[in-house]
Amino acid sequence: QVLLLESGGGLVQAGGSLRLSCVASVLTFSCNAMGWFRQAPGKEREFLTTISRIGGITNYADSVKGRFTISSDYAKNTVYLKMNSLKPEDTAVYYCAAGSYSRSAGMYAYWGQGTQVTVSS
């Protein structure tokens, strides 16, 4: 069973930075990527970024491109999300996911429990 555990969320002022981490208990053969999504109250889950296990190919949503950076250490089944220049509208629960390389949440079979990020103005 694939279990994902996120950490690193918290409260930060606008303009500040945070780094989220996500560790997977195991990555099955079908998991060729890990990604980050977020969900704000009353909104749908939003794709942020993903990184492939082979080649480290990345993809970003326009809303975070240039501010957020995904990185990985797949030898440790771990991905990171460095978030800079945070804005109040970045406030959400941030989820880590493992599955097929895609911008679609439906392509990720495994999800973490989420970590809250709150950006104050």
Side-chain angles (χ1 to χ4, degrees), residues 21-83:
S21 300
C22 174
V23 179
S25 58
V26 65
L27 286 175
T28 63
F29 180 77
S30 63
C31 295
N32 63 28
M34 293 180 71
W36 290 95
F37 292 74
R38 70 185 178 190
Q39 189 166 19
K43 295 188 176 181
E44 293 186 354
R45 191 164 295 192
E46 175 189 12
F47 166 79
L48 299 178
T49 181
T50 186
I51 185 166
S52 66
R53 288 176 70 180
I54 305 299
I57 302 169
T58 60
N59 192 284
Y60 291 91
D62 288 344
S63 59
V64 304
K65 195 175 297 182
R67 297 191 300 125
F68 292 9
T69 302
I70 191 170
S71 59
S72 64
D73 184 350
Y74 277 114
K76 298 180 179 179
N77 292 341
T78 301
V79 293
Y80 307 95
L81 183 65
K82 181 64 186 304
M83 305 184 292

